Amino acid sequence: MEKNERSTTIPGKEKEVDIINIKGIEDIGYVQPDSILLNSLAPEENTQCQHGLYFQDGERRVDYILTYHIKKPSSSRSNRQSSRFTDNAFTRSLRRGTARLGRPPPPQPRVVPEVASQDHSMDYHEDDKRYRREEFEGNLRDMGLELEKDEDTKTPGVGFVKIHAPWHVLCREAEFMKLKMPTKKVYEVKQCSGVGAKINTLVNKATEPLHPNVEENRAQNVKHLSYAFSREKQHLFDLSDRDSFFDSKTRASIVFEVLKRTKCTKAKYSMGITSLLGSGVYTAAYPLHDGDVDGENVEPNDRKLLYEEWASYSVFYKYQPIGLVRKYFGEKIGLYFAWLGLYTQMLIPASLVGVIVFLYGCATVDNNIPSMEICHPRNNITMCPLCDRACNYWKLKEACGTARASHLFDNPATVFFSIFMALWAAMFMEHWKRRQMRLNYEWDLTGFEEEEEELKDHPRAEYELCVMQKSLKKEHKTQKTEKEKLTCRDRLPAYMTNIVMMLLMIGVTFAIVFGVILYRISITAALHMSNNPTTRSNVRLMVKTTAAIINLVVILILDEVYGAVARWLTVLEVPKTDKSFEERLIFKTFILKFVNAFTPIIYIAFFRGRLVGRPGSYLYVFESYRMEECAHGGCLMELCIQLSITMLGKQLIQNNLFEIGIPKLKKLIRYIKSKRRTFQEEEREKKLQRYETDHFLEPFAGLTPEYMEMIIQFGFVTLFVASFPLAPLFALLNNIIEIRLDAKKFVAELRRPVAARAKDIGIWYNLLRGVAKVAVIINAFVISFTSDFIPRLVYQYMYSPDGSMHGFVNHTMSYFNVSDFQDGKEPMDPHHLGYQVEMCRYKDYREPPWSNTPYVVSKEFWAVLAARLAFVIVFQNVVMLMSDIVDWLIPDIPKDISLQIHKEKILMVELFMKEEQGKMQFIDSMTPCDGKERNNHAPVARSRSIPHTYSHTHANNF
């Protein structure tokens, strides 16, 4: 506050606030302290100011925006509010003065008690928020920031606080944050030579049309040496243009750091910007976009360039301008899009191999002997009923279509594809580590680990709030109830609550999967009782498809529920730092969504058809529902259906339809509303300031949903790829759209996020490695237990008389005497096939009814089981060994990057050594050279003031 301000107390609030003392005004009323703005130009007098990117003086740039709610009083409320504000210390003193002079006091308006109490409560909270804003903004000014308010906007009910960071604040905070800035020293980036250089030149020429038309994407032969900014060494940096030395992204990051450190301390506990936003003191906080992306007379800016060269669907075939993305949004978002781009590129070879495997299955389906035997017209094998009472005996040749379709995904090529995808995952992880190191070098993040270690212990606002609440509870322990004591939970109860809730949510997923199982069992029995022969012949397909769709709908709903539950559980823990909060939230969300997405698939792959029993001794649920069996071709076809519907449904509905459809729907609603507005309102809307336009954009919610979407997709691509070789192709097509969709969302539909530095993708890399390791084990079990690959090998090399697959179908089926059916379980129409059935067949390895041990598992069962377990062990160890070899052969840091980093260190040492030598030479030149005794203190004193000027001149020689 200024010097002519004094303190007073507002009625109803025991808080000391500042009220401006207005001299020379007879009618004293309430005046807002922030209503007095700086003497400035009108917005119409300056084009840049009118766009809202600068203060009203047209010189100071807006680096950050805070918004708050302005209460618009009604007429009656306005009278009451003005009377209440007038009835303060000033007016009471005036009344006392008029009473002494014998004048009657002015009449007071009548107020209804109930309305007055409600208004008093509402006004109390509004005043409290306003006082907190005043204190917080005063603290921001104390930190050196410059503020300007704008409440007379075209956005009703919203006030804006424009924040500008002057040069000295930028320098101070940049030094505190250890921001690396380019120095005047440049050096030549060594290019590779020899055969590698020629290959790179040819590749660059061939891919020239694929590169975006941006300056940051072009290779540069020179690079500025970067050094952590220091006010004492400003002479090392090129400060000829101070306005562009710190770009808008860096300025916003610096202001955000100041906001996080600034506290509101006059309340019972200190409140930072996060707490102020959560309590409604401020409604939003965001930096501004650089300008518009489309329209007439739009000035060139980075946002417009990104919209044209990155966020447009017409450039889907081009590389991403990752350098420009990092320049505008920061390293963290730049790393996400770099990772997404590399993942999409790596899906191209995986998709090609997957398509080849699928085409191989299509080409060899007519030569597959087991499916030929099933589909042969002379096949007269009678199969046992698939359900009790309602189902009849059926012929094996009715499963011809299922057997032929199963061969498309269950053939020897799928084993090769599983091994290929395991190695592909290892190659992808290694390729990303190399790409990440290259980006760290180009973005000057090579020393970011040490800086992060020093700054990572900054506590979150919620953690400080919880600590303050605990301390207050200890002071007033006798006045607190047991319920209030548990408001801020201790560590142990929070972890126990998390474990219980996580298990409960996983139990909900299992319960829903079990419900879908009951649905399949009951619907199968009901459809078999239908009089329509077409319905009876397509029972399996209808039940599989509808059950998969039900699972998809449940997965989409539970995904949203589990995301909210994971955040709630993380908030209960009250993590100390933002990084800890983010990692715990990501881990919980991943576990819940992973279980939600893959539990139905894991049931079909490993449990369905395993716990069935045999005819005459089936396993029942609730003593009435018989467990479902797999088709004769195995459960792999149903696994493929479930996997494809879930994957495509999540990508089309959750990822694309929600992200494309909902913004389009909102835009359509705004367009319909705009048709009803008057012409004046439309003209008024066109003149919105930049900060008003950004206020209507969606707030940035973090990268967790984007990463989670891709990690789950990575699971679909790698975990069950043996059953669905087309998964990489569908993932590739989705990601081509996803990149441009996310780009358009970040550029045009979201508020500009605060740039965050990051040297890697964090915990997501560990999750990727974990999924890749688990994928090897799951694919080994899918090949050995879900498919018929191992039984075919065992039959061909152990039981086949001629070493071929002839007779394999008969070998895998056992006999059952229909007289051994339990009472009430036999078919209602035993003559459905036109004759009396005495023996039926079922798929299993069991002794026939005429043996000494009828219906006992045969020795073939144990031979196949031993072969399956041996395959799992061999496959897992061989593939993991090959993955480790790939990891060992490919270095994490490219050789040229390692040399450049070493060269930078040497150049930095040389730079400071030359600077130090220059200082010493200057000191020696200022020292007298005659034989008289020298004063040892004078040169030292001069060396503290003179070297800066000299070193600045000396640095210009570079």
Side-chain angles (χ1 to χ4, degrees), residues 923-924 926-928 934-944 946:
I923 293 174
D924 293 340
M926 299 298 293
T927 305
R934 301 174 182 177
N935 190 350
N936 295 329
H937 299 285
V940 177
R942 299 180 85 169
S943 66
R944 292 181 181 177
I946 298 176

Side-chain angles (χ1 to χ4, degrees), residues 566-791:
R567 177 168 291 276
W568 174 65
L569 293 177
T570 309
V571 170
L572 284 182
E573 292 184 4
V574 196
K576 184 176 181 180
T577 61
D578 290 330
K579 183 178 181 181
S580 176
F581 179 88
E582 184 181 15
E583 290 180 350
R584 295 184 188 188
L585 175 61
I586 290 171
F587 181 74
K588 292 180 181 65
T589 308
F590 172 75
I591 293 296
L592 292 176
K593 291 192 174 184
F594 185 87
V595 172
N596 180 41
F598 291 102
T599 298
I601 300 173
I602 291 175
Y603 162 75
I604 295 174
F606 303 126
F607 296 98
R608 185 178 179 184
R610 303 287 183 269
L611 306 174
V612 178
R614 60 170 180 81
S617 181
Y618 284 113
L619 179 64
Y620 291 88
V621 179
F622 302 136
E623 299 181 357
S624 57
Y625 295 96
R626 193 179 105 183
M627 292 298 293
E628 52 188 348
E629 303 178 44
C630 292
H632 186 78
C635 283
L636 199 65
M637 187 61 195
E638 185 170 351
L639 175 62
C640 177
I641 293 175
Q642 178 69 58
L643 187 64
S644 60
I645 291 179
T646 303
M647 179 180 179
L648 296 179
K650 280 180 67 66
Q651 291 183 168
L652 293 177
I653 298 176
Q654 189 178 39
N655 301 345
N656 293 332
L657 184 62
F658 286 175
E659 295 186 12
I660 297 177
I662 292 179
K664 293 290 184 184
L665 182 61
K666 291 181 179 179
K667 187 175 182 180
L668 178 62
I669 294 174
R670 289 195 298 267
Y671 176 76
I672 294 174
K673 289 182 178 180
S674 66
K675 286 291 186 181
R676 303 175 183 175
R677 294 176 181 174
T678 62
F679 176 78
Q680 290 80 5
E681 289 177 338
E682 292 179 0
E683 289 298 318
R684 185 183 182 188
E685 191 175 86
K686 292 179 182 178
K687 297 180 181 179
L688 289 178
Q689 303 289 324
R690 175 79 266 155
Y691 49 85
E692 295 180 86
T693 305
D694 289 359
H695 178 72
F696 290 105
L697 299 178
E698 293 293 323
F700 175 64
L703 291 172
T704 300
E706 313 299 335
Y707 272 116
M708 190 65 64
E709 173 186 332
M710 290 295 107
I711 295 295
I712 297 297
Q713 184 200 86
F714 184 78
F716 282 118
V717 169
T718 56
L719 290 177
F720 295 92
V721 74
S723 62
F724 191 40
L726 295 179
L729 175 63
F730 290 117
L732 173 64
L733 297 177
N734 174 79
N735 287 5
I736 292 175
I737 302 174
E738 182 72 21
I739 290 176
R740 307 304 164 179
L741 179 65
D742 285 348
K744 189 172 184 179
K745 181 172 66 175
F746 273 82
V747 173
E749 298 173 3
L750 294 179
R751 293 173 186 164
R752 187 175 184 178
V754 179
R757 289 182 298 169
K759 61 182 176 62
D760 51 34
I761 59 176
I763 192 176
W764 299 109
Y765 181 80
N766 298 329
L767 294 178
L768 283 171
R769 287 188 64 89
V771 171
K773 297 295 183 183
V774 173
V776 176
I777 302 173
I778 288 183
N779 281 302
F781 277 94
V782 168
I783 295 171
S784 61
F785 285 90
T786 307
S787 71
D788 285 336
F789 177 75
I790 300 300

Side-chain angles (χ1 to χ4, degrees), residues 4 12-13 36 94 118 125 130 152 204 267 282 327 334 447 451 543 619-620 624 633 672 714 726 777 786 798 916 944:
N4 59 347
K13 287 285 295 179
I36 298 180
L94 288 177
Q118 295 177 1
H125 293 294
R130 179 167 49 80
D152 186 18
N204 291 332
Y282 291 103
K327 177 184 176 184
E451 303 166 19
V543 172
L619 179 64
Y620 291 88
S624 57
I672 294 174
F714 184 78
L726 295 179
I777 302 173
T786 307
M798 292 183 62
E916 194 66 27
R944 292 181 181 177

Side-chain angles (χ1 to χ4, degrees), residues 231-284:
R231 286 171 290 181
E232 296 180 355
K233 298 184 181 297
Q234 291 189 25
H235 55 275
L236 297 177
F237 307 96
D238 185 8
L239 304 180
S240 57
D241 187 5
R242 290 187 173 185
D243 293 337
S244 62
F245 183 75
F246 294 106
D247 56 10
S248 59
K249 165 183 67 71
T250 306
R251 298 173 70 98
S253 301
I254 289 175
V255 174
F256 182 67
E257 288 295 325
V258 177
L259 290 175
K260 288 198 299 184
R261 294 205 312 272
T262 307
K263 303 294 180 182
C264 229
T265 58
K266 289 186 179 180
K268 293 182 179 179
Y269 44 83
S270 62
M271 299 179 68
I273 184 61
T274 307
S275 302
L276 294 174
L277 288 170
S279 60
V281 176
Y282 291 103
T283 56

